[in-house]
Amino acid sequence: MATAAAHETARTQAYGTGDATDTTGTDAYETAFDAAVAADERIEPRDWMPDAYRSTLIRQIAQHAHSEIIGMQPEANWITRAPSLRRKAILMAKVQDEAGHGLYLYSAAETLGTSRDELLDKLHTGRQKYSSIFNYPTLTWADVGAIGWLVDGAAITNQVPLCRCSYGPYARAMVRICKEESFHQRQGYELLLALGRGTPEQHAMAQDAVDRWWWPSLMMFGPPDDESPHSAQSMAWKIKRHSNDELRQRFVDICVPQAESLGLTLPDPDLRWNEERGHHDFGVIDWAEFWDVLKGNGPCNEQRMTQRRRAHDEGAWVREAAAAYAAKHSGGRQTGETGETGATRA
Ligand SMILES: [Fe+2]
Ligand SMILES: [Fe+2]
């Protein structure tokens, strides 16, 4: 607490009570920023922050937001063909959750001084990325299970430490997102369990889906630590708390006993417990495939982007109507108008 109190004094001295946008006395601002990060405090939107910290966060949060909304596509592919009303209702709720995650994250990015329009434009023109995992196709119903178990599972492993990220709005968005992701992971596991215990054909379908999704889900943690040059800075800023390889190892260790319970095999002949390390060893990841998909050559890159741009264009009238509505009501507020359709609804 003493550290926090000392920092609070430094912060007040450096920031004063106004906007910390004045660049004079940057050293004092930087000291306060470093002290806040060292004391595990949250950096908030009005606090001074290094430009590189801001741009790193914008890039990371935007990529995360884009992944949430692009990730709706492969699963939405199965909504009309879900095998029962129960499964359909669950899948619809899950896909809707992902849209919500996108909204929280675009809002978090906006607190850093960018706009959702700008971020979507960067996505649509290929200047910002989304997670490569969503460039793989969902070929059978079992893929919905494999995505929930492995892709949402990998996302949780990545995202739980982000709940302690140094940037307040991102950390707070992640708390709610992680709670929902945990449901997603369980629905995938439960779906695969049902198929695994079903007919031999259903079991084979579940195994085939896991065979196709296992390696891409390991790639979700990003390149190996020695090829991930920005990781060290992100960890120093406490945006990231663990390295890519640490998180990947954690995920493998979690999945192995779960695969056993499911009665499914993970498609890696080199996967085995290493007593000495206290972790599972696993095979070599095909990084050439990772970079190729990232460059745009995955099976569904083009389809995902075409669909995203089409959805955006088709939603133009909604954005125009929302803007007209907001303009009408902000006009009401300026004239002091309140009441049923007035400023209280803004
Ligand atoms: Fe999500
Ligand atoms: Fe999810």
Side-chain angles (χ1 to χ4, degrees):
M1 288 307 285
T3 323
H7 162 64
E8 195 48 47
T9 313
R11 176 186 281 229
T12 312
Q13 282 166 356
Y15 298 149
T17 50
D19 244 339
T21 48
D22 182 4
T23 49
T24 55
T26 300
D27 286 355
Y29 289 142
E30 199 148 9
T31 305
F33 172 85
D34 290 344
V37 171
D40 265 335
E41 288 175 18
R42 297 282 173 266
I43 304 300
E44 296 298 339
R46 288 167 65 88
D47 290 344
W48 182 92
M49 62 189 82
D51 289 344
Y53 177 84
R54 186 185 299 275
S55 58
T56 298
L57 276 167
I58 291 176
R59 193 184 61 239
Q60 180 172 335
I61 300 174
Q63 176 168 335
H64 193 164
H66 300 329
S67 303
E68 299 286 356
I69 61 166
I70 296 274
M72 296 167 71
Q73 292 185 34
E75 291 185 285
N77 178 37
W78 282 93
I79 289 176
T80 57
R81 290 170 291 162
S84 68
L85 185 58
R86 175 175 170 265
R87 293 287 180 195
K88 190 192 290 255
I90 293 171
L91 183 56
M92 282 171 70
K94 197 227 173 204
V95 172
Q96 189 174 304
D97 279 355
E98 306 299 6
H101 298 173
L103 294 183
Y104 312 154
L105 290 164
Y106 285 120
S107 299
E110 283 181 317
T111 65
L112 290 157
T114 183
S115 71
R116 192 180 308 183
D117 284 348
E118 198 178 329
L119 297 176
L120 285 174
D121 189 55
K122 284 184 174 159
L123 170 65
H124 297 153
T125 52
R127 285 175 294 153
Q128 277 178 346
K129 302 267 182 217
Y130 55 89
S131 176
S132 275
I133 191 83
F134 300 118
N135 290 316
Y136 291 87
T138 43
L139 302 179
T140 71
W141 169 250
D143 287 30
V144 172
I147 289 182
W149 178 43
L150 296 174
V151 176
D152 290 277
I156 297 169
T157 310
N158 244 329
Q159 291 169 12
V160 164
L162 288 173
C163 298
R164 295 187 296 124
C165 163
S166 57
Y167 188 58
Y170 192 28
R172 290 188 287 273
M174 291 319 302
V175 172
R176 180 159 170 190
I177 289 176
C178 283
K179 284 182 184 158
E180 293 174 353
E181 293 300 354
S182 142
F183 273 109
H184 298 173
Q185 193 268 356
R186 286 180 215 184
Q187 69 82 31
Y189 183 88
E190 196 265 340
L191 197 165
L192 287 179
L193 193 63
L195 290 176
R197 289 177 177 172
T199 63
E201 289 80 5
Q202 287 172 325
H203 186 279
M205 188 165 79
Q207 183 62 58
D208 168 64
V210 169
D211 288 348
R212 282 181 291 107
W213 288 93
W214 172 249
W215 289 105
S217 67
L218 292 191
M219 296 175 196
M220 283 176 70
F221 296 92
D225 293 347
D226 48 14
E227 290 170 38
S228 181
H230 303 301
S231 278
Q233 179 61 75
S234 282
M235 284 172 74
W237 279 328
K238 295 188 182 170
I239 294 174
K240 251 177 110 115
R241 298 279 179 164
H242 307 281
S243 78
N244 295 354
D245 287 333
E246 273 170 24
L247 292 167
R248 189 167 13 245
Q249 180 70 64
R250 184 178 296 177
F251 177 67
V252 171
D253 290 340
I254 291 169
C255 287
V256 170
Q258 292 182 348
E260 276 168 28
S261 308
L262 285 169
L264 298 172
T265 312
L266 296 172
D268 179 357
D270 298 323
L271 189 64
R272 61 181 58 86
W273 177 250
N274 182 325
E275 191 67 51
E276 216 170 287
R277 292 201 308 121
H279 292 291
H280 292 87
D281 290 338
F282 53 97
V284 180
I285 294 171
D286 182 358
W287 291 110
E289 175 182 321
F290 173 80
W291 294 114
D292 200 40
V293 175
L294 199 69
K295 266 190 280 171
N297 302 323
C300 300
N301 296 56
E302 215 179 301
Q303 181 187 335
R304 301 290 183 242
M305 286 306 295
T306 305
Q307 170 62 18
R308 172 90 277 281
R309 290 192 201 101
R310 187 193 309 140
H312 187 73
D313 292 344
E314 286 175 1
W317 71 272
V318 180
R319 292 189 296 280
E320 282 161 23
Y325 183 85
K328 185 173 159 190
H329 289 279
S330 73
R333 201 164 35 230
Q334 276 160 8
T335 58
E337 198 179 291
T338 53
E340 222 188 336
T341 56
T344 50
R345 298 276 296 277

